[in-house]
Amino acid sequence: MTIPQTLPSSPWTLPSRGRVGMFCFIAAEASIFTIFVVAYLFYLGKSVSGPTPREVLELPIFSSVCLLSSSLTIHLAVEFLRKGKSGAFRAAWGLTLLLGAIFLAATGLEWRRLIVEKGLTISTNLFGTTYYSLVGLHASHVTGGLIGLAVVMVLALAGKVRPEHSGPVDVLSLYWHFVDAVWVVVFTVVYVIGR
Amino acid sequence: MSSESMPIAGAGNLPGAARRVWLETLHEWLITVDHKKLGLMYIGYALFFLVVGGIEATIIRIQLAVPHAHFVSPEVFNRMFTMHGTTMIFFVAMPVLFGFANYLVPLMIGARDMAFPRLNAFSFWMTAFGGLLLYFSFLGGDGLYGAGSAPDVGWWAYAPLTSKAFSRGHSTDYWTVSLLASGFGTIGTAVNLVATILSMRCRGMTLGKMPLLAWLNLVMSGMLLFTITPLTAAQIMLMVDRYLDGHFFDTHAGGSAAIWMHFFWIFGHPEVYVLIIPCFAFVSEIVPVFSRKPIFGYPVMVAATVAIGGVSMSVWAHHMYTIGMTSYENAFFVLTTLAVGVPTGIKIFNWLGTMWGGKIRYAPPMMFCLGFLFQFLIAGLTGIMLGSAPFDWQLGNSYFVVAHFHYVIVGGILFALFAAFYYWYPKMTGRMLNDTLGKWHFWVFLIGFHLTFDFMHIPGLLGMPRRIYTYEPGRGWAIWNMIATIGVAFQIAGILIFVFNLVHSYFRGRVAGDDPWDAWTLEWATSSPPAACNFAVLPEVRSRRPLWDLKHPEDPDWKYE
Ligand code: HEM
Ligand SMILES: [Cu+2]
């Protein structure tokens, strides 16, 4: 039995599966982060020994600015790709990659300072446990995103990313925007409320 | 189980060639990204673990049949109930439901495959890997300290029992990593199902014309995105505690054991609805076909499902009344819990409304659906009882709870699954399951189920706590435990009839044809089993019952919908 196509073909459009898939993935990721944020807030001030956040944390203004501006550059990059300006696309994409890498390096330096100078590790106290877990979870997502960005960069340099690929590239950029948005939350929770 | 899976016949006198064909077939299944093959692999995998989990349950029941028994040691008893619960939820119920969803959703929405076929294969293999890890713990769980074998912390693994001090060795780590791995697979499946249902529907199939099975799986997958992930997060925290000396659940360092309970049940309660909603989906497809009427109240069914999905996200602490919460918290969770009963009740009335005045055919799929309806109703009622905090203070952590959730999981989920097997087996294999064996299976299993789980409520009411190794005679518990254990023998017999039927009918069953039930949804428009591409020409639909329209051009549904 086959169902014949009897109707005159009316327009039939459905949402892009790439975007739907990415939004679902982001929803799932967001709920993982939510649980970590809740744990962070719940354990604020519950450590039985020092150091406390106020004693050791410094506001990571510069790296935050870098990460947040990378949202702008990746947005521009996708626009350039759509319009077929491949040179501008590569420049903006490369800049995104650079800004993300700066953020990651800054996090690394911050952790080094905390561990070596302040003696705060993940097992020192509850603050250490929740701080490194939450910031580390975010940093691991930045790392994942950077790997994705780097793959596209390599392909772009090899001349393999063309305007017709703007769909998947756009989906990747959604993930990057998400990682940036999460940082706003983490920043607020850890460095504003938590200090 | 398409024609490729039986290539050995005819090559019998060429052992070398036969082996090569056999290897090629194996290779083909290992690397497949086809939704039908992956669906069957999920189902086969789950059936295997159903047997394993069933053996563990039998060991538990034998140990409890009489007072002061020593059938197994207390340590083994703890491992058995832990492995039984974990296996049945994560490696039987979820995979088998994903298997049916994988197989049926693309066919029913007129698509050629899932939205992301390779992600689909990845999800399956992650789940498979998770199950292997869990069972590898029997060998590897010893670890460096030489303590323990399989995990023994219960399926909810409360802190601080899972801390290093109380769970030495690596058994708890196997439990954690296994659930993390299969959890990633589950997230993949959820993403895939949502994307498939939203973006792959055939021409004309608007959201309002989707089969209910697709709708319910959409809700189920949407819930999964928000419910399996808290478990993932909590497992990561537990790993931080156990491997990096973190303090999330370490009460000496200010950590809280109650927060693990919250995180676990934020996952755990919606999870039970994740399991039951696809079963609602089976029943919503089967009952109309066997009553010869369209489903009663389609929009209400959709709305009720969405409502159940939403409200069941906010009821989790009804598993925690006994830890002592404030009266505001208690009141909130009692109210939300009782509220879930309303949309659930609406669904039951809709199924009854579908049957009302219909021409009911009592074939095995319908019989199992009727069993489902009856038993799910009772299970919902004991759920409402436990949902009231004062009642739960009395009976929390007793065998009454065990009876409640087995009534849902066996009496509801498993019965609906059996219905689905009898209904869709012809599509999957091209042959009918034997009717007489099916009826035997139904009655024998029904008797076993009621012997075990009806009578299990009573020792609960008499105060028998769950998870005890053994008990004193003279408390009035012994007789009920004995009856419950006897019921298991019937259930095993029923399952054996079922498995025999599956195998026997595969070779000897009546050839089914494309549409043996005279049904109305798109999967019955394909051949049995469907070709690799499902549909040679992608279909186009104008109503919720495209095959009705095709068979009754003089009176098509789309004139009325
Ligand atoms: C109207 C529907 C339901 C209500 C009101 C309800 C209520 C409850 C309550 C209050 C408990 C906690 C008892 C305790 O631990 O003291 C419970 C336990 C449980 N319920 Fe339900 N339930 C409902 C439906 C379901 C469904 C559909 C399923 C499964 C598919 C289910 C599976 C379970 C399980 C597995 C447990 C025990 C978990 C454990 O302690 O290990 N319930 N239910
Ligand atoms: Cu619950």
Side-chain angles (χ1 to χ4, degrees):
Chain A
M1 209 181 325
T2 44
I3 302 255
Q5 279 191 303
T6 45
L7 295 184
S9 295
S10 44
W12 181 244
T13 45
L14 290 169
S16 128
R17 61 181 167 179
R19 285 180 76 91
V20 172
M22 186 47 89
F23 279 124
C24 291
F25 182 67
I26 286 175
E29 290 274 36
S31 43
I32 296 188
F33 274 106
T34 306
I35 296 291
F36 274 88
V37 166
V38 167
Y40 193 90
L41 290 172
F42 179 77
Y43 283 138
L44 269 182
K46 296 223 168 82
S47 297
V48 291
S49 59
T52 64
R54 189 154 261 306
E55 286 161 10
V56 294
L57 287 187
E58 285 168 14
L59 284 185
I61 303 282
F62 173 67
S63 63
S64 302
V65 171
C66 284
L67 189 67
L68 294 188
S69 29
S70 74
S71 249
L72 185 66
T73 56
I74 200 168
H75 175 73
L76 290 176
V78 176
E79 287 302 310
F80 288 139
L81 182 65
R82 252 191 217 121
K83 295 194 189 114
K85 299 183 187 158
S86 60
F89 163 68
R90 267 177 276 179
W93 197 265
L95 193 58
T96 313
L97 199 57
L98 182 70
L99 290 169
I102 292 177
F103 173 84
L104 204 57
T107 307
L109 288 176
E110 164 87 354
W111 282 25
R112 204 186 104 88
R113 187 180 65 80
L114 288 175
I115 294 170
V116 177
E117 289 173 24
K118 306 289 177 183
L120 178 77
T121 68
I122 198 164
S123 60
T124 308
N125 57 11
L126 256 179
F127 163 56
T129 305
T130 50
Y131 169 81
Y132 285 109
S133 308
L134 179 57
V135 175
L137 187 71
H138 179 261
S140 64
H141 281 75
V142 175
T143 313
L146 282 179
I147 294 174
L149 292 180
V151 170
V152 174
M153 194 70 220
V154 171
L155 290 174
L157 290 178
K160 294 224 170 85
V161 181
R162 287 182 296 275
E164 63 264 30
H165 300 125
S166 63
V169 172
D170 181 48
V171 169
L172 184 57
S173 82
L174 285 179
Y175 176 77
W176 191 254
H177 288 310
F178 165 70
V179 170
D180 289 359
V182 169
W183 181 247
V184 177
V185 176
V186 173
F187 186 90
T188 314
V189 166
V190 174
Y191 295 95
V192 181
I193 304 175
R195 224 161 63 102
Chain B
M1 299 193 189
S2 56
S3 54
E4 308 88 274
S5 66
M6 287 280 315
I8 308 176
N13 46 359
L14 284 172
R19 182 148 20 111
R20 219 169 312 123
V21 176
W22 192 85
L23 277 177
E24 266 168 29
T25 312
L26 186 67
H27 181 241
E28 192 187 311
W29 280 79
L30 285 181
I31 62 164
T32 188
V33 296
D34 176 62
H35 74 99
K36 298 184 289 301
K37 286 202 170 118
L38 285 166
L40 292 175
M41 280 156 75
Y42 266 119
I43 294 172
Y45 173 85
L47 283 179
F48 170 75
F49 274 114
L50 177 69
V51 173
V52 175
I55 293 172
E56 287 154 358
T58 312
I59 294 173
I60 298 173
R61 275 314 327 159
I62 295 179
Q63 166 64 26
L64 290 174
V66 290
H68 285 317
H70 291 284
F71 179 66
V72 289
S73 69
E75 291 78 20
V76 171
F77 185 77
N78 288 354
R79 282 176 210 139
M80 285 302 123
F81 69 65
T82 304
M83 293 295 272
H84 167 71
T86 309
T87 306
M88 287 300 195
I89 297 281
F90 294 98
F91 300 111
V92 179
M94 298 242 273
V96 78
L97 295 169
F98 291 167
F100 274 99
N102 248 300
Y103 198 99
L104 294 174
V105 165
L107 287 171
M108 291 179 92
I109 62 171
R112 293 216 161 102
D113 207 323
M114 297 279 278
F116 308 109
R118 271 179 291 185
L119 175 64
N120 201 11
F122 171 80
S123 301
F124 170 76
W125 290 108
M126 282 308 272
T127 307
F129 181 56
L132 279 183
L133 267 179
L134 184 67
Y135 275 85
F136 184 74
S137 65
F138 273 110
L139 303 176
D142 248 12
L144 296 173
Y145 309 94
S149 125
D152 54 3
V153 289
W155 87 282
W156 58 28
Y158 279 175
L161 186 57
T162 48
S163 67
K164 262 197 193 157
F166 304 113
S167 286
R168 300 166 67 82
H170 292 294
S171 59
T172 303
D173 302 314
Y174 276 100
W175 180 82
T176 305
V177 180
S178 132
L179 295 196
L180 258 180
S182 66
F184 288 135
T186 305
I187 296 172
T189 306
V191 169
N192 216 340
L193 278 171
V194 176
T196 307
I197 295 170
L198 291 185
S199 309
M200 309 286 286
R201 278 164 290 137
C202 69
R203 243 168 204 294
M205 189 176 285
T206 55
L207 286 179
K209 293 199 171 70
M210 276 195 321
L212 275 179
L213 186 133
W215 253 115
L216 269 63
N217 273 291
L218 179 65
V219 174
M220 179 274 279
S221 316
M223 284 178 74
L224 267 180
L225 294 174
F226 300 101
T227 64
I228 197 83
T229 36
L231 180 68
T232 306
Q235 302 281 21
I236 295 175
M237 293 176 186
L238 184 57
M239 295 236 296
V240 168
D241 273 13
R242 287 182 58 90
Y243 279 101
L244 303 174
D245 291 323
H247 306 293
F248 277 113
F249 310 116
D250 172 5
T251 39
H252 289 298
S256 155
I259 204 164
W260 166 272
M261 302 174 88
H262 278 291
F263 291 164
F264 185 85
W265 289 115
I266 286 173
F267 147 78
H269 181 83
E271 166 69 13
V272 304
Y273 277 89
V274 161
L275 300 181
I276 200 80
I277 286 179
C279 297
F280 291 168
F282 300 148
V283 176
S284 303
E285 294 298 331
I286 296 171
V287 166
V289 169
F290 285 82
S291 309
R292 311 312 300 158
K293 278 176 65 191
I295 186 87
F296 179 80
Y298 174 100
V300 181
M301 285 299 246
V302 172
T305 313
V306 175
I308 291 179
V311 179
S312 70
M313 302 271 203
S314 58
V315 303
W316 73 86
H318 65 211
H319 295 268
M320 300 164 54
Y321 292 135
T322 46
I323 70 165
M325 294 185 288
T326 63
S327 51
Y328 294 106
E329 285 170 293
N330 279 338
F332 174 80
F333 286 105
V334 169
L335 286 176
T336 51
T337 302
L338 301 195
V340 185
V342 176
T344 314
I346 292 178
K347 294 184 87 86
I348 295 198
F349 281 112
N350 274 319
W351 290 315
L352 292 180
T354 308
M355 285 189 271
W356 188 269
K359 255 196 282 170
I360 297 182
R361 279 192 287 187
Y362 290 101
M366 187 63 175
M367 295 166 72
F368 279 104
C369 281
L370 292 175
F372 164 91
L373 276 181
F374 179 70
Q375 284 144 201
F376 180 67
L377 175 67
I378 297 181
L381 293 178
T382 54
I384 296 284
M385 293 158 82
L386 289 170
S388 324
F391 189 91
D392 189 75
W393 289 330
Q394 199 59 36
L395 285 178
N397 221 33
S398 76
Y399 258 86
F400 192 83
V401 175
V402 181
H404 154 68
F405 70 75
H406 282 89
Y407 232 89
V408 205
I409 291 176
V410 180
I413 296 177
L414 197 57
F415 269 68
L417 267 168
F418 285 142
F421 269 102
Y422 282 92
Y423 185 63
W424 279 292
Y425 184 91
K427 183 49 56 190
M428 295 172 175
T429 64
R431 289 179 188 261
M432 307 293 287
L433 281 170
N434 184 297
D435 228 48
T436 318
L437 284 177
K439 287 180 179 159
W440 274 97
H441 168 200
F442 174 77
W443 286 111
V444 172
F445 196 84
L446 188 86
I447 294 170
F449 166 77
H450 284 282
L451 277 180
T452 302
F453 296 112
D454 292 10
F455 293 103
M456 195 181 273
H457 290 89
I458 301 173
L461 289 168
L462 296 178
M464 176 172 168
R466 63 193 284 199
R467 292 181 174 158
I468 49 169
Y469 168 62
T470 190
Y471 50 92
E472 297 284 323
R475 299 201 172 196
W477 302 347
I479 173 76
W480 311 113
N481 277 292
M482 182 46 101
I483 296 177
T485 303
I486 292 172
V488 173
F490 283 85
Q491 295 185 53
I492 293 177
I495 296 274
L496 287 179
I497 298 175
F498 171 62
V499 172
F500 175 77
N501 200 354
L502 284 182
V503 177
H504 180 79
S505 302
Y506 183 68
F507 298 104
R508 298 276 157 76
R510 190 155 52 78
V511 174
D514 293 348
D515 183 17
W517 307 115
D518 190 10
W520 304 308
T521 37
L522 283 178
E523 78 272 31
W524 304 103
T526 64
S527 58
S528 303
C533 65
N534 294 351
F535 303 94
V537 184
L538 280 184
E540 171 156 1
V541 303
R542 299 177 76 182
S543 78
R544 288 174 202 143
R545 299 194 299 166
L547 265 63
W548 171 276
D549 295 352
L550 195 70
K551 294 169 192 168
H552 304 269
E554 73 296 344
D555 185 26
D557 268 4
W558 51 263
K559 282 204 183 143
Y560 310 102
E561 267 175 16

